[in-house]
Amino acid sequence: VGFAEGRVPTAVLVEAIVNHRPLIRVPGAGLCHLATAPLNRHDQGYFIVARSGAEGFSADEFGLLRGMARALELTLETIRTMAAQRELLASLQQRQLLLEQISDIQRAITRRAPHQEVLDSITLGASRLLPDDVIALWMRDPDDPGSLLLVSSRGLSEETVRRLWRIPLASSGTLGEALSRNRIVVASPAFLVGEAGGGEAGRAEAGRAEDSATEAGEIVSVMAAPVHEGGVAVGCLEVASRRADRVFLDADCDILRVFSEQVSLAVTDARTHEAMREAFHDPLTGLASRRLFTDQLEHAIAAAARDGTRVAVLFVDLDSFKIVNDSLGHSAGDQLLIGVAKRLSSCIREGDVAARLGGDEFAVVLVDLADEKPAVLVAERIIEAVRRPFVIDGKEAFVDVSVGISLDGWGSTGGDSLLCNADLAMYQAKRKGKGRYEVFRPALREAFARRLDLEADLRHAIERDELVLHYQPIYDLKLEEVTGVEALLRWQHPQRGLLPPAEFIPLAEESGLIIPLEAWALATACSQASRWNQARAAPLTLNVNLSVRQVQRPDLAELVARTPLTSGLPPDQLVLEITESLFLQGTDAIRDRLRQLEDLRVRLAVDDFGTGYSSLSYLSLLPIHIIKIDKSFVDNMMNGPLALAIIQLVRTLGLVTLAEGIESVDQLEALRDAGCQFGQGFLFSKPLAPAEVEPLLTPRETPLATGISPCWPAASALP
């Protein structure tokens, strides 16, 4: 204190102390009196005070100065003692932390945790004990012993991990040295310590800095310890630092050795080395895993940019796989996935890559393309190949695939972008009818964003009271009287106006929102029909559509039983319409649920009959009461006998026929002559709001002779 910063005259002070000078010149203060008191413990130095002016120091002041020196001695001693205690405590804490980390790793190995979890716990533990920039675990590639795979790391960015995922062993520097010498190797900017040894070889190793971590940044110090399986070096655990003053000491080598031994134990005990091969291949189908697929895709994109070619990604998703899985069992589902994988592989060239991304999702990388035409041809081959029946446990199973195609150059900046674009195209294919392909265009991304907005709005549609029901009358074709109504869901969107089902029902099915939407529609329609029937002698029947998702619910019968009762509508006046595609697999679970509905006296109708894949056998196996003849057959009534044949067949089975989409008198007459009992269509009425329906519902004075809903034959005549 008292000198300008950085200008303390150390040499002058030392000379004054040694020669016991009473005066010293201090810049800015002139000639000053000097008093000194030695700090005697451990030769720590001197305590010095200089005073300006004519008067020097008194005897009392010299005594005070010596007392202050003693206090300073004690303070310094306390600091030294505390520093020693801190070092001891830090050492004990580090040992405790090491024991804790090893204990965690041992527990993970003992409980047979997934191999990746064990390896990640080892690199995490090493990073806590060795707080350097990079911890990396490398293992020999089982398919290529001349390469190393980065299987776990800390301190590397995702981009660097992707770039260094696989490296040649020959150019791996410290890693290769540790593997070849089968011992810990240390490379630092100044010298080598520990087991690495010194001398020219050590300095050469330190100067090379060729190891992989160096590629990730300005790594200046590296140490690597070999990992063993059965006594053979199969990998390396690496620690790297970017700090210029970092020197790895013997204690650091000891810690690294402990963690490398834990890796060796994990590899040997859990056969992790073999499991790593499975990490890059799907264990069920043998196709590339997502990680291997991503790596190959990035390499393909880089090669295409270099060679002036193009790369395509095909995102392949199975349609109706869940039905097969639920109906035939998970084992059958696995067999189906294996079969799909084989057919997928048969549709591509040797240089292309097929992968299973997870579940029933697959992907393909097509390389060396000039344009999108070859990708479209491959997509068509895949669709046709998968469409052929699969024989599983002696039974035929059918699935389709929807394929999305994306080529580099449509605004994609890398593999993830390309895969995402293909995924969007695949969803577009599904929305257009499944079992088809779609090529990504930039407009799809905008459409997807709008879809997300629409889905968000749909989630609030019920609570905001935006859903409405319209009703289309169903007529007895002989009497030309209204005998029932079909409830059709509409959405009164606040910005887009009244939306028909085609605008939002597919979205609701994909997102799972169809469940609460249909529950609301069923409850609302039953209440409305109950109010209408209170004014009629012959009650109306109410037709309500059920989606496949709704029928797959185990509590379907409970929901249906509760809804009509609370609304006042008798169950025998309710008709549930189910699409024919539901019966594609003819599952026992679906059959049981439909039987439960029949026990409630609820009637079941097959919508869009004749447009699905299933055979006619389900008509006798399942409790079906009504067949709705699809509009496409009604439109061709005058040009072919198909609709007539369907009506005759259904009547022969004792079922009720209901024709959809009747638009002309000629169609009505032809249907009536063929024996079709009921119908609906624009010839009679379009779907109407409840207030518009009421004038059409002229109450009959007396009910029909059967005493039940006029839309049905007597209960004894039902199949």
Side-chain angles (χ1 to χ4, degrees), residues 19-38:
N19 296 308
H20 306 285
R21 298 189 183 278
L23 299 172
I24 186 173
R25 188 171 295 279
V26 177
L31 197 61
C32 297
H33 295 275
L34 187 65
T36 63

Side-chain angles (χ1 to χ4, degrees), residues 235-250:
C236 274
L237 184 61
E238 178 185 40
V239 179
S241 177
R242 297 182 176 92
R243 290 186 291 140
D245 61 343
R246 180 62 161 116
V247 175
F248 293 112
L249 304 175
D250 288 341

Side-chain angles (χ1 to χ4, degrees), residues 353-374:
V353 179
R356 181 187 176 209
L357 302 182
D360 59 349
E361 294 180 342
F362 298 83
V364 174
V365 177
L366 303 178
V367 299
D368 196 24
L369 304 181
D371 51 39
E372 69 182 43
K373 291 181 181 178

Side-chain angles (χ1 to χ4, degrees), residues 124-153:
L124 176 61
S127 68
R128 289 173 176 171
L129 269 296
L130 297 167
D132 293 276
D133 296 295
V134 176
I135 307 289
L137 176 58
W138 303 84
M139 301 296 288
R140 287 185 187 269
D141 187 345
D143 296 327
D144 179 14
S147 297
L148 292 176
L149 300 176
L150 178 59
V151 297
S152 182
S153 65

